[in-house]
Amino acid sequence: MTEPAFLVLTALVDEPRHGYGIAQEVERISGGRVQLKIGTLYGVLDRLTADAFVEPDREEVWQGRLRRYYRLTDEGARALEEEAVRLADNARRAVERLRLRQAEGLT
Amino acid sequence: MSVLEDSYRWVLRLLPAPYRAEREEEMVSAFLEGAQHGEAGLDDQRPRWMEIASVAALAVRLRVGGPGAPPRSFLWGEAVRRVALLGLVFWTMIGFLSAAQALIAYGILADALPDDVIMGIGYAGSPDRLRHVLADLVPLMWAGSLGALVLGRPRMAKAVAVAALVLPHMLVPPVFPGGWEIVARWACMVLPAAVTVPALVIGFHRDAPPPPLPRGQALRMVALPAVPGILLSLVVTALSSLSRADTVPVTLLVQASLWVDVPGLACVSLLIVTVWCLARRRTSGPTALAAAILTVPAVLSRAATLHPGAADSITETINLVGGLQIALLLAGGITLVALSTQALRTVVDGDLTGIRGQHG
């Protein structure tokens, strides 16, 4: 799973969001590091929809413009959890090894 | 409608019409909501280059579709991927031809040439010679790119292909003493190889990865063009020997040489592909489309070697054989376009039998 896909799924965990809402949330979650361009965002949404990880929730008209909301599916939540566990596991191993290196006075 | 919205909708025209019909309004909405946070008014802004690039990248992915894409997009995707594959196979053959020629010409493999024959550039051991030998060996990297692709490693294939394309020109930079005409001729000569790289880059993406072959099969795939490449180097060596022996008329040797140089081999290869496509009319749509695309750089590369109006017998021979090859390529190209059009019509009718399942 790519980082943008991971962040988009994470952005949809608490509530359905529309395109710009997802982009904003991804920027917030990543501490401003990832700023999804609209073309990239919709490319990611296409793939996640094709994998049945997200699905359209509802449509709203806001200030005369269409907002289509997307929500996380159960399958998407499972995939996100698996990926999060895998990444956390990798991060934990990296931290353990770094501590060991520090303990051995290699730094 | 603000100038910004108008500009963004214009950028979105890069996307296929059915996708635009589905997504345009929400994409415009998302884009404008982001833009409203800017300081300038909507009439004083233009979409940023990164924003345009992201739409262009999405458009390429949608138009050059993978197995899950709509039929037309999938057919174009397959065609682009076959441009890359056919290009890699061809340039692997040329890579082995070039490398074997270098080994013979510089006496690296064995002293294949008579003592009184001086071949190659620079004296033995000089940096100049090393540069030229490397420039002749680097095209072997095309084989590495092909190998990586058929082993299912497209990123490595792309990186190696870029290196195979660029490195020879970095090692031996082209010289343009004669102005724009020489530059144009050089560009036409480089075009057949240059086409392969963007086809590889845009054809194989996340939604259209190359199916990995088992190692043995992948090795055979690389050996397939390597064998004729090595055999052709022997033919070229034989032609050089005949030329030195002075027993065969020069014009006859020139005629033969024009069939084993890069544009000549491109012509022969494309004619073989055309015959193959005609024999498998029903399922050859993407390959025919790919070969039709490849015909354009092949024609240009041969045209770049012609000198219309020249009076000497050798140049006349070059023009005659080159003209014949261009005529053959154009005839083949028309046939391929007809086959491609037929395939595109079939796709519009929704019949993809024989095309689906051939991915890669």
Side-chain angles (χ1 to χ4, degrees), chain A residues 1-11 36 44 47-48 53 80:
Chain A
M1 188 183 291
T2 61
E3 189 184 21
F6 181 85
L7 291 170
V8 167
L9 290 178
T10 307
L36 287 180
V44 173
R47 282 191 207 110
L48 293 175
F53 290 170
L80 178 64

Side-chain angles (χ1 to χ4, degrees), chain B residues 215-280:
Chain B
R215 277 186 178 274
Q217 215 174 328
L219 195 67
R220 279 198 292 280
M221 189 77 184
V222 177
L224 190 76
V227 172
I230 292 166
L231 292 176
L232 281 165
S233 75
L234 299 178
V235 173
V236 174
T237 307
L239 288 173
S240 304
S241 305
L242 287 172
S243 167
R244 285 194 299 276
D246 217 13
T247 51
V248 180
V250 176
T251 50
L252 204 63
L253 285 172
V254 170
Q255 281 182 40
S257 302
L258 285 168
W259 291 99
V260 290
D261 66 356
V262 171
L265 288 170
C267 174
V268 174
S269 306
L270 280 170
L271 290 175
I272 292 170
V273 174
T274 307
V275 171
W276 183 88
C277 288
L278 276 170
R280 299 187 173 203

Side-chain angles (χ1 to χ4, degrees), chain A residues 10-22:
Chain A
T10 307
L12 293 173
V13 166
D14 53 348
E15 60 178 352
R17 293 178 198 278
H18 55 84
Y20 179 61
I22 296 171

Side-chain angles (χ1 to χ4, degrees), chain B residues 307-329:
Chain B
H307 295 271
D312 65 288
S313 63
I314 291 178
T315 315
E316 271 178 358
T317 308
I318 291 172
N319 289 342
L320 190 71
V321 175
L324 172 68
Q325 288 178 355
I326 289 175
L328 287 170
L329 279 169

Side-chain angles (χ1 to χ4, degrees), chain B residues 27 82 99 107 118 120 128 140 173 175 181 196 205 240 247 258 261 267 278 291 294 303 310 323 347:
Chain B
M27 287 181 81
R82 283 172 205 206
I118 299 165
D128 211 28
L140 278 177
V175 184
E181 191 195 329
T196 304
H205 47 81
S240 304
T247 51
L258 285 168
D261 66 356
C267 174
L278 276 170
L294 286 168
V347 159

Side-chain angles (χ1 to χ4, degrees), chain A residues 2 18-21 24 36-47 49 62-63 65-68 70, chain B residues 5 8 19 22-23 25-34 36-37 50-51 54-55 58 61-62 206-207:
Chain A
T2 61
H18 55 84
Y20 179 61
Q24 266 187 316
L36 287 180
K37 303 291 171 234
I38 301 305
T40 312
L41 170 66
Y42 278 90
V44 173
L45 280 174
D46 288 343
R47 282 191 207 110
T49 308
W62 180 80
Q63 293 186 352
R65 298 197 180 283
L66 174 74
R67 276 179 167 182
R68 186 174 285 152
Y70 294 87
Chain B
E5 180 177 344
Y8 194 64
Y19 188 86
E22 172 74 18
R23 294 278 205 202
E25 291 311 316
E26 61 173 308
M27 287 181 81
V28 168
S29 170
F31 172 73
L32 290 177
E33 281 187 63
Q36 279 168 357
H37 291 260
M50 289 301 285
E51 204 67 64
S54 80
V55 175
L58 179 62
R61 191 177 63 76
L62 291 169
R206 195 184 306 276
D207 298 337

Side-chain angles (χ1 to χ4, degrees), chain B residues 89 114 299 318:
Chain B
V89 167
V299 167
I318 291 172

Side-chain angles (χ1 to χ4, degrees), chain A:
Chain A
M1 188 183 291
T2 61
E3 189 184 21
F6 181 85
L7 291 170
V8 167
L9 290 178
T10 307
L12 293 173
V13 166
D14 53 348
E15 60 178 352
R17 293 178 198 278
H18 55 84
Y20 179 61
I22 296 171
Q24 266 187 316
E25 191 65 8
V26 164
E27 189 174 345
R28 200 182 63 75
I29 293 166
S30 66
R33 191 172 51 81
V34 178
Q35 295 176 336
L36 287 180
K37 303 291 171 234
I38 301 305
T40 312
L41 170 66
Y42 278 90
V44 173
L45 280 174
D46 288 343
R47 282 191 207 110
L48 293 175
T49 308
D51 290 340
F53 290 170
V54 302
E55 61 189 10
D57 182 72
R58 64 184 191 278
E59 290 179 4
E60 281 179 5
V61 176
W62 180 80
Q63 293 186 352
R65 298 197 180 283
L66 174 74
R67 276 179 167 182
R68 186 174 285 152
Y69 286 73
Y70 294 87
R71 67 165 171 262
L72 187 67
T73 63
D74 291 343
E75 206 175 326
R78 267 195 302 277
L80 178 64
E81 185 162 3
E82 278 172 18
E83 186 67 3
V85 168
R86 191 183 69 80
L87 290 174
D89 210 31
N90 285 347
R92 184 179 52 77
R93 287 208 183 95
V95 169
E96 278 171 9
R97 287 185 172 223
L98 283 167
R99 285 196 182 134
L100 199 64
R101 179 184 158 93
Q102 285 162 0
E104 288 170 357
L106 292 174
T107 51

